[in-house]
Amino acid sequence: MSFFKNLFSKPLNITLTVTSSNGFHLRPVAQFVSLAKSFPCNIDATFHDKTVNAKKVNALLSLSLEKENTFTLSIKGKDAKKALHALNTLFLSLMKEDVEVKNIEKTSHSYAKASYEGDIIAKGVAIAPLYAYQDEIIHHTNTLPFSEAIQLSIEDLGKSDLDINLAQKELLLGLQESATTLEDLEAHITQACQNLEGTKLSAKIVDYQDILQRVKSHLGIEKKLIFPEHDFILLANDLLPSEIEILSQSKVKGVILKETSINSHTAILLRAAGLTSLIINQALKASQEDVILDASAAVLVIDPTEKDLESAKTSQDEIETQKEQASEKRFDKALTSKGHTINVYANVGDVPSAKTAKEEGAEGIGLLRSEFLFKEVAPTFEGQSEAYSEIFSLFDDITVRTLDVGGDKNLPYISLEKENNPFLGIRGVRLFKTHLALLEEQLHAIFLAAKSKKLKVMFPMVSSVEEFTHAKSLAENVAKKQGLDISNILFGIMIEVPSVLFLIKDFNDVVDFYSIGTNDLTQYLFAIERTHSTLKADELSPVIFSALTRIVTESTKPVSICGELAANDKAIKQLVNLGLHTLSVSPKSIAQTKEIIRHV
Ligand code: PEP
Ligand code: MG
């Protein structure tokens, strides 16, 4: 019945207007298509008199939608209403987030004569000879069938964390349906590139070329870049996104591109790699002598005088100093642009990492992974107590986690029965069942080292309220037996087992705090082992964010987050906006996490 209803129903229409100055380009299109594909209904996009399937990246890109263009989405079939609502919401947020990269402001310079001026991709000053891009094509004999080469390329791109690669994957998925040979693929790509030429989306041509090269390399046609053994500034028309990683490992000091834009993927990746680079749209020649590429002042000086070289070196020193100053800000509070303070704590495993955390600007310890305190040999009670005392003296606010052994974490001095599924077996708080004496000794050492200091003790892998209350009462018994007052200790849990998501209201009555362990929570939500070499759960999946929303909404006790997600630059804004105000990250990520928060 509903099949016929859907079949004969009228399509739902909505008009969408591109508001981003970048146009509706590859990365947002890829995200849009990925959501569109999750609905069973037909979804078409019409602009002027051209209608395309909105579930295909290359089709949607072929509309060449630019700022102020309005197109119509026409949705028909099952779940059309839901799809319309979801796509409209996503489109509006994509447009809002996709801010234009403004021309970077130039600094002034005092060179005798600037030979060329350009547009800045990434600031910095480089002094080295100019070297023109060179590559060679190598034909290998062990070739794969075309379909396998495409499949492997899709898999490679899917493994990457970069939006750019995921967008390229969507493009290739679209091309996979229509190309059955390399010649077919080349023809489709040539056509797509011709359609893009001269439009505002022409920067995406390199993505198509990159895809083609990736497939070719799986077919045994490898393109090898040739770099000199000495420092150099690279001259190239453009670079493929995949070439930038290889370039970063060479002796490159700077890059000058002729045919790209400051919004291109190449430019984004050069900035991310921190490579001094400029766009100069003129023919330049390789040189034997040093030139000055001052990308901060947006100039290239071909025959520098002694004075020019001195001045360039002074600029280099100044840039170095600026970097150091940024690092000095690591001890400043992390305030969002609206003035909210976010606590940035550290995840540590032993005394040296706790000291590093202090030097890197941590404001507390959000997770002390006590299983890493003594790795080789079983510690004595005194040894444990001393290590805890030393760490506790470093910060005011500290959360210690009781031993989280099991799964992929085994200690040579703790015997665990061999299990078929160790991640689902004796692990974390479940050790209270099998290794009670060990945990009692640990709790005793912690309580003694805490003296009267306020301290948080947390249990890992808790999956039910009873598990927590049992562990807490065992801890209280230890204190009673030893005649210790533990009124200074708060007790909480890691949220890393999905059952807890449905028990928060009950936990609120018994715990003092929560810390979200997204590493395990992700593993258990997707049933993908976190150490698996082929399978990889997406920690940025909406599933994770809806789990986090649920926790924050239902909890009446303080919640922090200590999984790797807390330092993920793509997640921090959302985490903060969700109401998570304590992020605990690895010591080396503290300065950067604070800096990102300052822009939220
Ligand atoms: C987690 O699971 O997210 C977590 C922080 O704990 P660990 O990585 O030590 O399992
Ligand atoms: Mg964990």
Side-chain angles (χ1 to χ4, degrees):
M1 180 66 191
S2 72
F3 170 78
F4 288 107
K5 198 173 131 216
N6 286 326
L7 192 66
F8 297 113
S9 63
K10 272 197 183 157
L12 299 177
N13 290 331
I14 183 168
T15 55
L16 300 173
T17 301
V18 180
T19 52
S20 160
S21 320
N22 299 330
F24 195 24
H25 65 94
L26 181 55
R27 270 170 296 134
V29 163
Q31 287 184 53
F32 187 86
V33 165
S34 166
L35 179 65
K37 284 202 295 199
S38 69
F39 292 101
C41 39
N42 289 330
I43 307 175
D44 286 337
T46 304
F47 179 54
H48 293 323
D49 49 2
K50 185 170 174 183
T51 297
V52 298
N53 181 349
K55 290 185 177 180
K56 293 198 164 152
V57 172
N58 32 2
L60 203 46
L61 275 181
S62 74
L63 296 181
S64 298
L65 291 159
E66 295 189 6
K67 190 177 178 183
E68 284 168 13
N69 288 163
T70 296
F71 66 104
T72 307
L73 267 195
S74 180
I75 308 178
K76 189 173 174 194
K78 190 162 182 276
D79 289 344
K81 232 181 182 170
K82 260 197 214 159
L84 182 132
H85 178 71
L87 288 169
N88 183 30
T89 311
L90 176 71
F91 183 79
L92 294 178
S93 83
L94 287 172
M95 287 297 111
K96 212 163 127 200
E97 281 166 22
D98 193 42
V99 284
E100 186 184 14
V101 179
K102 299 248 175 11
N103 273 325
I104 302 171
E105 254 176 62
K106 299 173 193 177
T107 52
S108 57
H109 68 85
S110 58
Y111 304 116
K113 191 168 128 262
S115 314
Y116 297 93
E117 293 200 2
D119 290 320
I120 304 170
I121 294 178
K123 285 186 166 187
V125 179
I127 306 171
L130 289 173
Y131 169 80
Y133 177 99
Q134 278 185 50
D135 61 19
E136 61 176 331
I137 302 291
I138 301 171
H139 290 265
H140 298 281
T141 43
N142 55 334
T143 57
L144 289 174
F146 179 74
S147 58
E148 251 177 75
I150 290 252
Q151 202 47 45
L152 282 176
S153 307
I154 291 171
E155 282 169 23
D156 290 348
L157 292 166
K159 278 184 210 146
S160 165
D161 294 337
L162 294 171
D163 290 357
I164 290 169
N165 287 349
L166 298 179
Q168 286 186 355
K169 180 184 152 198
E170 287 295 335
L171 276 182
L172 188 51
L173 280 169
L175 289 162
Q176 185 185 26
E177 289 170 20
S178 41
T180 51
T181 62
L182 179 61
E183 291 69 35
D184 267 359
L185 184 70
E186 281 183 307
H188 278 98
I189 286 186
T190 309
Q191 184 61 53
C193 292
Q194 276 170 4
N195 293 344
L196 287 169
E197 245 159 47
T199 72
K200 207 162 174 226
L201 303 176
S202 62
K204 307 314 173 234
I205 288 174
V206 289
D207 290 302
Y208 277 108
Q209 289 166 346
D210 211 8
I211 290 170
L212 184 60
Q213 190 45 53
R214 195 178 283 275
V215 176
K216 277 184 171 175
S217 69
H218 283 300
L219 288 170
I221 309 164
E222 189 197 348
K223 186 162 92 170
K224 195 160 173 272
L225 302 186
I226 304 165
F227 297 126
E229 289 299 316
H230 54 79
D231 289 354
F232 65 98
I233 293 169
L234 181 71
L235 287 176
N237 280 338
D238 199 354
L239 288 170
L240 300 180
S242 60
E243 291 174 331
I244 292 168
E245 204 188 316
I246 307 167
L247 180 65
S248 306
Q249 290 152 16
S250 73
K251 294 202 164 171
V252 71
K253 294 287 156 212
V255 177
I256 300 173
L257 297 181
K258 187 165 175 253
E259 293 166 3
T260 192
S261 71
I262 55 163
N263 287 319
S264 70
H265 288 162
T266 312
I268 293 168
L269 291 175
L270 283 170
R271 271 194 291 278
L275 264 174
T276 299
S277 21
L278 207 58
I279 305 170
I280 299 180
N281 193 1
Q282 295 189 54
L284 297 170
K285 283 205 189 92
S287 70
Q288 299 291 326
E289 302 299 321
D290 281 352
V291 302
I292 299 169
L293 170 65
D294 187 335
S296 301
V299 294
L300 172 70
V301 184
I302 295 283
D303 280 316
T305 61
E306 277 303 310
K307 210 168 147 238
D308 287 342
L309 284 167
E310 247 173 60
S311 151
K313 283 185 188 134
T314 310
S315 302
Q316 277 182 327
D317 292 345
E318 277 169 12
I319 291 169
E320 205 43 51
T321 315
Q322 273 167 11
K323 268 196 197 150
E324 279 163 22
Q325 278 168 354
S327 153
E328 274 167 25
K329 266 168 74 191
R330 69 191 188 274
F331 293 113
D332 295 353
K333 281 197 163 308
L335 294 176
T336 65
S337 53
K338 291 197 184 104
H340 299 301
T341 303
I342 305 299
N343 307 313
V344 182
Y345 284 16
N347 296 343
V348 301
D350 49 20
V351 179
S353 62
K355 287 186 175 161
T356 308
K358 188 92 195 170
E359 284 156 21
E360 293 293 332
E363 292 153 352
I365 292 178
L367 169 64
L368 168 55
R369 289 184 163 103
S370 64
E371 59 278 7
F372 294 137
L373 260 177
F374 304 97
K375 297 181 192 79
E376 305 301 331
V377 202
T380 59
F381 172 75
E382 289 72 29
Q384 288 193 57
S385 179
E386 258 171 49
Y388 288 126
S389 298
E390 204 173 341
I391 296 173
F392 295 170
S393 69
L394 293 171
F395 296 94
D396 291 336
D397 194 353
I398 293 182
T399 303
V400 193
R401 182 172 74 183
T402 55
L403 278 177
D404 185 20
V405 178
D408 59 333
K409 285 187 281 193
N410 288 317
L411 291 177
Y413 54 89
I414 298 180
S415 65
L416 290 174
E417 294 240 333
K418 199 170 166 354
E419 294 180 280
N420 284 342
N421 292 302
F423 277 103
L424 303 181
I426 301 297
R427 211 200 137 176
V429 76
R430 298 168 186 184
L431 286 167
F432 276 97
K433 285 190 195 303
T434 55
H435 294 71
L436 181 60
L438 190 78
L439 280 150
E440 284 182 335
E441 189 183 56
Q442 184 187 28
L443 286 162
H444 181 194
I446 293 172
F447 295 157
L448 202 70
K451 298 200 182 81
S452 55
K453 184 187 178 83
K454 232 178 174 203
L455 186 79
K456 296 183 187 129
V457 171
M458 108 178 135
F459 301 115
M461 276 294 288
V462 171
S463 58
S464 69
V465 174
E466 295 69 36
E467 240 167 358
F468 169 76
T469 48
H470 178 64
K472 185 179 169 187
S473 71
L474 288 170
E476 284 167 340
N477 281 343
V478 168
K480 208 163 148 203
K481 222 160 90 191
Q482 303 299 335
L484 296 170
D485 172 11
I486 54 163
S487 52
N488 52 318
I489 310 280
L490 297 173
F491 287 96
I493 59 164
M494 294 276 298
I495 301 185
E496 47 189 356
V497 180
S499 57
V500 176
L501 299 175
F502 306 96
L503 295 168
I504 299 284
K505 286 188 177 140
D506 300 320
F507 272 110
N508 283 337
D509 294 336
V510 289
V511 301
D512 296 316
F513 66 91
Y514 301 100
S515 180
I516 308 171
T518 45
N519 308 340
D520 277 311
L521 189 59
T522 308
Q523 135 166 295
Y524 293 122
L525 277 170
F526 287 96
I528 293 180
E529 194 188 304
R530 59 195 272 183
T531 57
H532 205 287
S533 57
T534 314
L535 305 173
K536 193 170 174 286
D538 175 12
E539 65 167 3
L540 291 169
S541 155
V543 170
I544 306 298
F545 286 96
S546 62
L548 300 183
T549 309
R550 188 182 178 101
I551 297 166
V552 174
T553 316
E554 299 206 345
S555 157
T556 54
K557 297 292 167 69
V559 183
S560 62
I561 174 166
C562 63
E564 290 302 300
L565 190 68
N568 187 322
D569 57 357
K570 295 199 195 101
I572 291 172
K573 183 174 174 190
Q574 251 176 297
L575 297 178
V576 169
N577 289 340
L578 260 175
L580 285 162
H581 292 159
T582 302
L583 311 185
S584 192
V585 303
S586 73
K588 287 284 171 207
S589 305
I590 289 164
Q592 193 209 358
T593 304
K594 285 189 172 183
E595 206 47 41
I596 297 172
I597 292 168
R598 293 185 184 115
H599 293 95
V600 170

